[in-house]
Amino acid sequence: MKWRALVFVLATTAFCLGFGDGVRDQSLREAARASGMLIGTAVRPAQLSEAAYASTLAREFNMLEPEDVLKWETVHPEPQTFDFSQGDEIVDFATGHGMKIRGHTLVWHQQNPKWLTEGKYTSSELAQILEKHIKTVVGHYRGKIFAWDVVNEAFDEVRPGRLRSTIWRDQPGIGLAGNEVASSHEPRASSAPARSELEARSSQQSYSYIERCYRWVHEADPQALLFYNEAGAEVVNPKSDAIYAMVRDFRQRGVPIDGVGFQMHIENLRADVASISANIKRFTALGVQVQITEMDVALPVDPNGNPRPEDLQQQADIYREVANACLSHPGCTAIQTWGFTDKYSWIGSHSKHTQGAALLFDRSYAAKPAYAALRDVLTTGRR
Ligand code: XIL
């Protein structure tokens, strides 16, 4: 029957053009080719055996990052034990699909094993432990992981612009105490340095522990790009001001740092894109790359985890505007989402299941309006 054949041809043509499943002919990674952007996502190895997860990941992204399995509690579960099995699974997947790999993260105050946090180490013991950790993990992935989030979230949430008090900084820290004692015993009187010099010195001392970490990573893999990664510093604010001062100082003194990662976890459907853009501009002007490292846009959800349909478009607009802000600065080199399917996202447990649906694909791997918005920008956005 002729009409049946016609319907079949029309239907398959429509499907191939992508009208059937909401995904058009180009994937994100294909769209990103023209602009040279890296388009990445956080990955959980347990899900790689799920066909839809693996095929979507390989089709859509040219970069990935282990969401949790390179954190201390997984990769260094006992003082003398390193476990790279889950990290290696992700790295093998990426290598097999021609994807770049970001490493996350070497120095953080969360997801650390008890042997470390409850170990009552002295400052110098802790420094040795951290140096060994960094050199072992970075060494294992040398030549495979192209960029590391060396230090994550070192600046404080509540005291604007100040460093967070952590096991690495001052409990006992890996060297701060030594520095402070040394400077407080310095002779003052006639040879006293100028006030501005003292201020500069004291702020350098306060993040000297961070500097040591960058130097250790660089020794372990001189080719790797070294990032500082932070939450809540996407816009121009006291936290990003403090990071800016640190990065500028590192660049001036030759401390190896190549980039800054802005996490971009967006809540309440609010994003000050003008300020995000101004912030990207000032950081890239320092000669470092900026990457958006953990983007998600959380929506309020009902007890079944479903968002309001009208919020999906607003969510898409935020993805579009943030991606545009990145693409309009040549030094902004990557957009990475924190997972890609609403089936697996940290937002649910993080928000006690009041928010969710934060990613580009729904729980059945169907592309959402945010997906189309992001792909449009990657296809047509300025570079
Ligand atoms: C989150 C993971 O997504 C969760 O699976 C885990 O339980 C907690 O950590 N900032 C970061 C990420 O830098 O490492 C965090 O990831 C989310 C916030």
Side-chain angles (χ1 to χ4, degrees):
M1 284 221 200
K2 263 191 188 162
W3 64 270
R4 274 206 183 158
L6 185 64
V7 168
F8 179 75
V9 169
L10 285 176
T12 47
T13 309
F15 185 79
C16 291
L17 288 173
F19 301 128
D21 58 0
V23 180
R24 291 182 191 231
D25 44 347
Q26 275 202 326
S27 66
L28 294 178
R29 83 183 274 184
E30 285 164 345
R33 207 172 284 151
S35 56
M37 282 295 287
L38 292 168
I39 175 80
T41 186
V43 168
R44 301 177 178 182
Q47 265 63 62
L48 288 173
S49 53
E50 188 181 325
Y53 185 95
S55 63
T56 308
L57 174 61
R59 185 183 71 231
E60 299 294 340
F61 300 94
N62 58 24
M63 179 173 81
L64 56 66
E65 172 169 313
E67 181 168 343
D68 288 302
V69 299
L70 292 186
K71 293 172 182 171
W72 274 73
E73 66 180 5
T74 309
V75 86
H76 199 168
E78 302 293 338
Q80 304 306 332
T81 308
F82 286 87
D83 180 355
F84 294 111
S85 54
Q86 297 191 73
D88 289 356
E89 266 184 67
I90 295 182
V91 167
D92 289 347
F93 184 93
T95 312
H97 293 92
M99 306 163 91
K100 290 201 160 207
I101 308 153
R102 292 187 96 260
H104 176 82
T105 177
L106 298 163
V107 186
W108 195 27
H109 60 285
Q110 288 184 28
Q111 291 179 275
N112 288 319
K114 280 217 166 84
W115 69 262
L116 177 69
T117 54
E118 294 175 6
K120 305 266 182 285
Y121 297 104
T122 65
S123 175
S124 65
E125 284 167 343
L126 196 63
Q128 280 173 20
I129 290 169
L130 181 56
E131 180 177 2
K132 178 179 162 201
H133 175 89
I134 285 179
K135 292 192 170 168
T136 306
V137 176
V138 174
H140 181 83
Y141 291 112
R142 184 180 166 130
K144 293 183 175 159
I145 288 188
F146 86 108
W148 275 103
D149 288 339
V150 176
V151 176
N152 192 32
E153 300 179 353
F155 284 86
D156 207 70
E157 241 67 281
V158 279
R159 298 174 311 156
R162 304 280 294 277
L163 284 165
R164 191 190 294 275
S165 175
T166 70
I167 186 174
W168 304 120
R169 176 175 140 78
D170 52 18
Q171 300 179 38
I174 63 161
L176 176 71
N179 280 338
E180 281 180 344
V181 169
S183 68
S184 67
H185 289 301
E186 268 173 14
R188 300 268 150 85
S190 59
S191 60
R195 187 190 160 93
S196 59
E197 197 193 321
L198 273 179
E199 277 169 2
R201 229 193 262 175
S202 83
S203 70
Q204 278 171 21
Q205 281 165 5
S206 68
Y207 49 68
S208 66
Y209 89 93
I210 300 180
E211 174 175 343
R212 295 181 77 185
C213 300
Y214 283 80
R215 294 194 187 280
W216 285 329
V217 181
H218 188 63
E219 281 174 40
D221 185 353
Q223 304 300 320
L225 297 176
L226 310 191
F227 279 73
Y228 175 77
N229 197 51
E230 187 58 89
E234 296 70 18
V235 294
V236 176
N237 62 16
K239 198 191 247 192
S240 63
D241 286 349
I243 298 166
Y244 179 83
M246 179 184 77
V247 173
R248 187 179 53 193
D249 173 50
F250 280 7
R251 298 289 289 181
Q252 279 168 355
R253 291 190 298 111
V255 180
I257 187 163
D258 304 286
V260 173
F262 295 127
Q263 294 185 3
M264 208 68 73
H265 295 291
I266 294 176
E267 293 170 356
N268 306 319
L269 285 168
R270 269 202 301 269
D272 183 348
V273 182
S275 187
I276 290 172
S277 187
N279 205 28
I280 294 174
K281 186 174 179 187
R282 68 171 174 163
F283 274 93
T284 54
L286 290 176
V288 294
Q289 296 185 30
V290 165
Q291 300 192 337
I292 292 168
T293 51
E294 305 186 10
M295 185 160 179
D296 46 27
V297 181
L299 301 181
V301 291
D302 67 20
N304 297 320
N306 295 317
R308 293 186 300 241
E310 64 268 28
D311 286 345
L312 292 172
Q313 196 51 53
Q314 247 185 292
Q315 179 182 53
D317 292 342
I318 291 178
Y319 271 100
R320 176 185 297 106
E321 288 167 18
V322 170
N324 252 328
C326 178
L327 260 82
S328 60
H329 302 286
C332 187
T333 52
I335 300 172
Q336 178 167 265
T337 56
W338 206 236
F340 54 96
T341 165
D342 293 337
K343 191 171 178 184
Y344 306 113
S345 157
W346 78 303
I347 292 294
S349 57
H350 181 63
S351 68
K352 303 200 168 53
H353 302 281
T354 59
Q355 296 182 63
L359 296 167
L360 303 175
F361 293 87
D362 72 12
R363 283 173 290 178
S364 313
Y365 297 92
K368 293 160 64 181
Y371 171 90
L374 182 54
R375 194 184 44 195
D376 279 356
V377 177
L378 290 172
T379 312
T380 59
R382 276 185 293 141
R383 275 269 47 169

